[in-house]
Every structure is written in C-alpha cells, then in structure tokens.
Amino acid sequence: MKLHLVTRAVFMARPFLKHFATTRASSSSYSTLASSSATKWDGGVSLVQGASRGIGLEFVKQLLEKNERGHVVATCRSPNESIGLKELKSKFAQRLDILRLDLTIESTIEETADAVRDKYGSLNLLINASGILSIPDVLHPETTLSKVQRSSLLLAYEINAIGPILVTKHLWPLLKVGGGLGTGRDVAIVANLSARVGSIGDNGLGGWHSYRASKAALNQRLS
C-alpha cells in the first residue's frame, strides 16, 4: 500500500517522507488483509487524536457529516469530559468510537492501536490535532526570555513533538494495511497540525519559546 504524510500549518500543507509514498506490500497475505478491510469498511476509517474540542472536534464532525459511510475514531485524554464528542456520539453511534489517549502515557497509545486493530484491522487517515500553548498554573506563553522554564519546555516538547510521532509509530502498521482502499484516495494520510510560529524562517516576533520550539521540532521530525 502507498502511504503519504503531510504536515498542516494552520491552513497550509506540504508533502514529506516521499519515499514512503512508494512503499508497497510484497506479501500476498498483506494484500489480502488490505482488500478485506477495504471491502468491510467501505468509506474508510479515520482517527483524530486530540478530538475533545477545537479543531480536532471539528475534524471529527466534518468527517462524519461529509462521508456517510466512513468510520471515525476520536481520541482525547478525558473522553467523559467532552460534551462535543458525546453529542456527536448520540448522532453517529454506529460510526464513531471514542477512546482515551494521553500523549504523555505511551501505554494508552498502544491500547488505542490495539483497539483499532481489533475492530477495524486497518486505518486510512490519521490526524494528530492535539497541542498545548498554555495550561493554567503549569505552562504559560513566555513573553520574555526570563519567563522560560525547563519544565515548560519539556512538557511542550513531550506533547507537541514527541506525542504525534509516537502515535504515528503505533498506528503505522494499520495505515500501511489500509492505504487508500475504500476511500477513493490513492494513499493513506497522516496529517500533523503545526503552526506558523513553528517556522524558523518566519520568526520575527520572538517569544512563546516552548511552543515555537516544540512546533519547529514537529515540523522537522516528520519532514
């Protein structure tokens, strides 16, 4: 199967890891599994990581509303606290699964991958939407260099840069199986939400050091 990855910086996207776009399965069992999955899940299977609110929640909503045959797995740290996901579940009970995934706990990423494999056997689209800029009493945007703290840098990097690549790592086998089958696309897609402030060349304002550095790392790690 082909696999294609993109990074999305607000409204812009660019392709990368081009060598993966030409990766194909060589075994007959691999191809058989992919064909079986595409037949069973016509419309495709998508996973949105960081889906409790904001852009992630909107991705889930749009995927469900615009593709009446597609299935969506929505993950977030505290599913029971997301009113938006609960409302969507009441409308799309048969096509929406909600799972707990905490980017700081790798075992929850593994559990999510296991759950998707057990129910669907493949994946066609992965959207890594979570990211942190600030957390009350924990992490604040640094308007001056004197406000930079080691703990803030490490936390922002863990969630904004390390988290997405770990999610991709554990879901990679399912994406390779799914490819674009059942979706009308040629390839499976991994989309990572970045931000313009993660651009080194476009950093004219400074500040927000933890967020800028972690988003720049995300751009580079998966590019």
Side-chain angles (χ1 to χ4, degrees):
M1 293 300 108
K2 293 181 179 179
L3 186 60
H4 183 56
L5 291 91
V6 298
T7 182
R8 297 188 182 276
V10 189
F11 300 110
M12 297 181 292
R14 63 184 178 87
F16 59 105
L17 286 182
K18 293 182 180 179
H19 57 286
F20 283 112
T22 58
T23 300
R24 293 180 179 274
S26 57
S27 68
S28 59
S29 60
Y30 184 97
S31 300
T32 300
L33 179 58
S35 298
S36 173
S37 174
T39 301
K40 186 175 182 180
W41 306 114
D42 188 26
V45 182
S46 305
L47 188 146
V48 181
Q49 178 270 118
S52 62
R53 58 190 177 88
I55 294 176
L57 180 61
E58 185 63 24
F59 269 118
V60 175
K61 181 174 182 290
Q62 294 290 328
L63 286 168
L64 290 167
E65 291 181 346
K66 294 183 180 297
N67 181 359
E68 62 183 18
R69 295 176 302 164
H71 291 257
V72 179
V73 179
T75 74
C76 60
R77 188 176 59 178
S78 303
N80 292 332
E81 297 178 9
S82 176
I83 296 175
L85 285 179
K86 290 179 179 179
E87 291 176 348
L88 288 175
K89 182 65 175 178
S90 67
K91 294 176 60 178
F92 304 98
Q94 301 303 313
R95 296 197 292 120
L96 174 62
D97 294 293
I98 304 173
L99 301 175
R100 177 176 180 265
L101 189 157
D102 187 330
L103 291 178
T104 66
I105 305 175
E106 190 170 1
S107 62
T108 67
I109 303 175
E110 295 173 334
E111 290 165 2
T112 294
D114 290 342
V116 175
R117 184 193 64 238
D118 291 344
K119 181 169 183 177
Y120 297 106
S122 65
L123 190 64
N124 307 102
L125 170 66
L126 167 61
I127 299 176
N128 283 308
S130 18
I132 57 167
L133 172 62
S134 65
I135 301 175
D137 301 320
V138 177
L139 189 156
H140 302 280
E142 306 95 343
T143 54
T144 65
L145 191 59
S146 63
K147 293 183 178 181
V148 172
Q149 297 182 350
R150 177 185 175 84
S151 59
S152 297
L153 289 165
L154 292 174
L155 180 60
Y157 191 81
E158 182 175 27
I159 294 177
N160 294 343
I162 296 176
I165 199 168
L166 288 179
V167 172
T168 304
K169 165 192 168 183
H170 288 290
L171 293 174
W172 193 263
L174 295 170
L175 288 159
K176 288 196 292 184
V177 169
L181 295 177
T183 67
R185 295 192 303 263
D186 293 330
V187 295
I189 299 292
V190 176
N192 299 289
L193 269 66
S194 184
R196 184 173 179 176
V197 295
S199 167
I200 295 175
D202 192 39
N203 182 5
L205 297 176
W208 295 11
H209 301 287
S210 298
Y211 188 72
R212 282 184 183 278
S214 61
K215 286 298 186 178
L218 171 65
N219 295 343
Q220 180 60 31
R221 291 180 74 91
L222 292 176
S223 63

